[in-house]
Amino acid sequence: MDNREAIGSWLSGPRAAAEEMGTDFGYRGERLGLPKEGPGSAASVGRRFGALFLDWALCMLIAYGLFARDAQGAANYALGVLLVLNILTVGTVGSTPGKRLLGLRVVSESRGRLGFGWAVARSALLCLAVPALVWDRDGRGLHDRLARAVQVRI
């Protein structure tokens, strides 16, 4: 093996190296029985980050308006507001305001509504940030895997 091939596979990641060797991973959500495209398909990473950004901006506005008068204080309160917002909205209607605007919804792996207890666990893990940054090959964050949830397009 040439050193350039080894470095190229290392830089492109293990998935790209495995695909070059002939491994077929399928599309995101295939292992979960989700369609490849359209409503009910797995949400893209870009849409999920966009929804989180919109939710964070809303939480900053709420925290600044209700609890704090400076940006640093608002950021501290915004995390608590984000936790409450996620628990209430995902636990009841299945999507936060940001997810709704971008056409996403959180459902259980069985395609039903996510239970309130799972919504609490998912929201707490999301606020820790690290579990949301660890993904599986279906594009689900660790917080979704542990809560047996999946984010799908509406």
Side-chain angles (χ1 to χ4, degrees):
M1 174 179 267
D2 187 7
N3 283 341
R4 290 175 293 183
E5 291 177 21
I7 291 173
S9 67
W10 177 77
L11 289 174
S12 58
R15 181 179 180 125
E19 286 175 345
E20 285 178 12
M21 292 188 299
T23 304
D24 180 26
F25 288 108
Y27 60 89
R28 286 186 177 181
E30 183 176 18
R31 293 183 313 157
L32 299 168
L34 300 174
K36 187 173 184 176
E37 296 176 352
S41 63
S44 68
V45 175
R47 276 192 180 190
R48 291 183 0 229
F49 273 127
L52 183 60
F53 176 78
L54 292 173
D55 290 335
W56 182 254
L58 176 65
C59 291
M60 284 291 289
L61 285 172
I62 292 170
Y64 186 75
L66 295 179
F67 303 113
R69 293 295 172 223
D70 62 339
Q72 181 61 40
N76 293 334
Y77 285 110
L79 188 60
V81 174
L82 182 69
L83 177 68
V84 172
L85 176 80
N86 268 282
I87 289 171
L88 294 178
T89 58
V90 172
T92 56
V93 294
S95 63
T96 62
K99 287 184 190 343
R100 179 63 70 183
L101 284 172
L102 295 180
L104 303 178
R105 184 166 185 204
V106 179
V107 296
S108 70
E109 290 176 341
S110 62
R111 307 310 165 265
R113 191 173 66 86
L114 188 64
F116 193 77
W118 288 119
V120 170
R122 181 189 178 279
S123 299
L125 289 168
L126 175 67
C127 288
L128 291 176
V130 174
L133 298 174
V134 178
W135 303 327
D136 65 2
R137 73 179 193 198
D138 289 316
R140 288 193 310 167
L142 185 59
H143 65 299
D144 282 330
R145 277 194 70 133
L146 293 175
R148 299 181 182 153
V150 61
Q151 295 185 49
V152 297
R153 294 174 54 195
I154 297 176

